[in-house]
Amino acid sequence: MIKKKKLPEATIPTSSMADIAFLLLIFFLVATVIDVDTGIGLTLPEYVPPEEQKEVKVDPNRMAAVLINENNDVLLDGKIISVFQIKNALKPRIESKIDLPSNKKLIVSVKTARETVYNTYIQALDQIKEAYFEVRDELSNQKFGNKYDDLTAEEQQSVKDAVPIIISIAEPEQVKK
């Protein structure tokens, strides 16, 4: 009787699988972009030693006080509003000061309680900046027929001079209704 030869089963060679896995791992590590939080983009004032600091009286008509208490209630000049109403409330006040000299422009003062949720604080700052940006866009459309971002550097500077972003971030304190 003739014996049949047993054929070996078909298998996938696994000797190079580890090499391929490590190459893929290295590829994805090198090719992956990791998003890094950069923080809030604010221009901080220059340091002035306490002995050189002087107190300046500001006309109350120039001030817009945004207060955020520990319950995350937002008060604009003493009236409770939603965070998302800040932009619409500030725009007319910013627009009314466009033709005034630089020492008469609107100052937005932001004060918070220490217990204020950080997200509410950031949303309030975003709404304030958005109000300024929209007024700048509207002014640049009126003056030059383009959005602010599409203007030349000189035109942008003239719009910045007419609508400067002046935000005063005060030290946190107890803010009550």
Side-chain angles (χ1 to χ4, degrees):
M1 212 148 154
I2 302 177
K3 285 187 174 180
K4 282 188 175 180
K5 286 185 179 178
K6 268 194 170 180
L7 294 174
E9 291 183 26
T11 59
I12 297 173
T14 58
S15 61
S16 65
M17 284 290 206
D19 294 338
I20 292 171
F22 282 116
L23 285 173
L24 284 172
L25 181 65
I26 289 171
F27 171 76
F28 285 115
L29 284 173
V30 171
T32 301
V33 176
I34 298 172
D35 188 24
V36 179
D37 291 336
T38 56
I40 303 171
L42 291 177
T43 305
L44 298 175
E46 294 179 30
Y47 175 74
V48 179
E51 59 273 359
E52 293 180 22
Q53 292 179 3
K54 57 183 174 184
E55 193 171 309
V56 177
K57 296 286 182 189
V58 177
D59 182 16
N61 294 331
R62 246 185 107 189
M63 294 292 297
V66 177
L67 306 174
I68 308 171
N69 66 15
E70 64 275 357
N71 299 325
N72 295 314
D73 297 326
V74 178
L75 291 86
L76 178 62
D77 295 328
K79 297 175 186 164
I80 295 180
I81 62 170
S82 163
V83 174
F84 302 105
Q85 293 174 325
I86 294 173
K87 177 180 70 171
N88 294 331
L90 285 179
K91 272 181 65 176
R93 294 184 63 184
I94 297 169
E95 289 168 346
S96 69
K97 309 261 188 234
I98 287 176
D99 297 326
L100 298 177
S102 62
N103 63 348
K104 304 278 187 195
K105 302 286 185 186
L106 184 70
I107 300 172
V108 180
S109 172
V110 180
K111 287 187 182 180
T112 63
R114 293 203 182 272
E115 298 83 16
T116 300
V117 176
Y118 190 67
N119 190 36
T120 306
Y121 174 68
I122 297 301
Q123 286 176 342
L125 281 177
D126 287 345
Q127 287 289 309
I128 294 166
K129 285 186 176 183
E130 189 66 32
Y132 277 105
F133 293 151
E134 284 187 13
V135 172
R136 280 184 176 177
D137 267 347
E138 290 170 7
L139 181 65
S140 61
N141 270 332
Q142 287 174 358
K143 275 184 147 180
F144 305 108
N146 278 330
K147 285 190 171 186
Y148 177 78
D149 293 334
D150 299 334
L151 300 178
T152 65
E154 291 173 0
E155 293 170 341
Q156 281 184 351
Q157 189 58 46
S158 72
V159 172
K160 277 184 186 178
D161 292 341
V163 186
I165 298 176
I166 307 172
I167 302 173
S168 167
I169 300 175
E171 206 44 46
E173 62 179 43
Q174 271 316 97
V175 179
K176 297 288 182 186
K177 275 206 256 186

